[in-house]
Amino acid sequence: AQKVTQAQTEISVVEKEDVTLDCVYETRDTTYYLFWYKQPPSGELVFLIRRNSFDEQNEISGRYSWNFQKSTSSFNFTITASQVVDSAVYFCALSEPRGGYQKVTFGTGTKLQVIP
Amino acid sequence: EPEVTQTPSHQVTQMGQEVILRCVPISNHLYFYWYRQILGQKVEFLVSFYNNEISEKSEIFDDQFSVERPDGSNFTLKIRSTKLEDSAMYFCANSIQGGGYNEQFFGPGTRLTVL
């Protein structure tokens, strides 16, 4: 069965520090997809990135970057020069195709607090 | 940009009452999902729905739960007889296609409080 582990429950950093959120996943499928979502205090889930299992290229989007390492089943997320607005809970998620639809399994989330 | 909407934003109900949570998906999306998040915990899959049928449901989604698209646009989650442990945030999600590559767009959630 699929599983997503986010070992860091809470992280506090001072503004402008870099921070990396860890994500380790388990799946028996060879084709799968990984996502990161942000949940700000207001509660909604905001999509950040997706990555498929065949694409191990790292990605950078502004201050955000993602490191996908298939060999270690990890999909880590780094925020560079953190800002107070980055304070939120971040969820890593694994999607496995099921015929015509997908089933998404979320990690337990990492609460990031950026201190001004 | 199209958005998923959910109503109500907060629902308070008495234990044993029926509740219906409503979602208006993005118009050309065909795959629909409900998730639950108990306060402070992770987001859990409840059910997926396509072509007016349940594709898959989790062990959480027991006989007390049902889903439907009553008018082809709204997507509802009904809980027949609420229990205290049903208190949670319920998220509706949808995707344009079913393949795993397509991200699911989430609604803002309905916070259900069962007293």
Side-chain angles (χ1 to χ4, degrees):
Chain A
Q2 65 264 38
K3 185 179 177 183
V4 177
T5 301
Q6 294 180 256
Q8 304 149 308
T9 308
E10 288 193 42
I11 301 176
S12 288
V13 298
V14 177
E15 201 171 20
K16 296 184 184 170
E17 285 185 349
D18 298 348
V19 57
T20 296
L21 310 182
D22 298 332
C23 173
V24 174
Y25 62 92
E26 294 177 30
T27 178
R28 287 179 289 190
D29 287 331
T30 54
T31 300
Y32 53 89
Y33 305 87
L34 295 160
F35 301 84
W36 276 94
Y37 285 88
K38 174 182 180 180
Q39 187 175 44
S42 49
E44 72 272 23
L45 286 165
V46 178
F47 165 78
L48 295 177
I49 190 173
R50 65 170 174 259
R51 178 61 82 227
N52 74 55
S53 52
F54 300 109
D55 181 2
E56 289 195 67
Q57 269 193 324
N58 293 326
E59 181 160 338
I60 298 174
S61 175
R63 295 185 298 107
Y64 296 168
S65 62
W66 291 268
N67 183 357
F68 177 31
Q69 300 260 351
K70 207 167 175 180
S71 60
T72 56
S73 296
S74 65
F75 186 45
N76 297 335
F77 173 31
T78 297
I79 302 174
T80 304
S82 59
Q83 299 176 2
V84 173
V85 294
D86 296 327
S87 296
V89 180
Y90 291 86
F91 290 97
C92 180
L94 168 67
S95 168
E96 296 165 307
R98 289 285 183 271
Y101 68 98
Q102 55 172 289
K103 179 178 178 181
V104 179
T105 300
F106 284 80
T108 49
T110 297
K111 184 176 182 179
L112 174 65
Q113 185 178 15
V114 181
I115 304 165
Chain B
E1 187 175 315
E3 288 183 340
V4 181
T5 58
Q6 289 186 244
T7 55
S9 57
H10 190 190
Q11 173 95 44
V12 181
T13 189
Q14 295 290 325
M15 190 171 57
Q17 295 295 305
E18 175 183 285
V19 295
I20 297 177
L21 310 182
R22 292 184 169 79
C23 170
V24 179
I26 297 171
S27 63
N28 59 341
H29 287 202
L30 301 176
Y31 295 81
F32 311 102
Y33 311 84
W34 282 101
Y35 292 83
R36 179 183 82 175
Q37 184 184 29
I38 294 172
L39 185 63
Q41 297 186 23
K42 68 176 180 180
V43 179
E44 299 174 290
F45 169 81
L46 288 178
V47 66
S48 59
F49 188 85
Y50 170 70
N51 200 26
N52 285 319
E53 287 184 350
I54 290 175
S55 308
E56 184 169 345
K57 57 185 180 180
S58 71
E59 58 274 12
I60 302 169
F61 195 89
D62 61 21
D63 292 343
Q64 294 295 327
F65 292 89
S66 63
V67 290
E68 64 175 357
R69 287 193 79 198
D71 55 9
S73 60
N74 291 297
F75 179 48
T76 62
L77 174 69
K78 182 193 291 186
I79 308 175
R80 288 190 186 82
S81 178
T82 49
K83 303 187 284 280
L84 295 177
E85 53 265 38
D86 293 328
S87 294
M89 182 77 94
Y90 289 83
F91 291 101
C92 165
N94 49 111
S95 60
I96 194 166
Q97 293 178 15
Y101 188 73
N102 294 280
E103 73 268 24
Q104 295 181 10
F105 291 82
F106 284 81
T110 292
R111 182 169 298 284
L112 176 64
T113 302
V114 182
L115 302 175

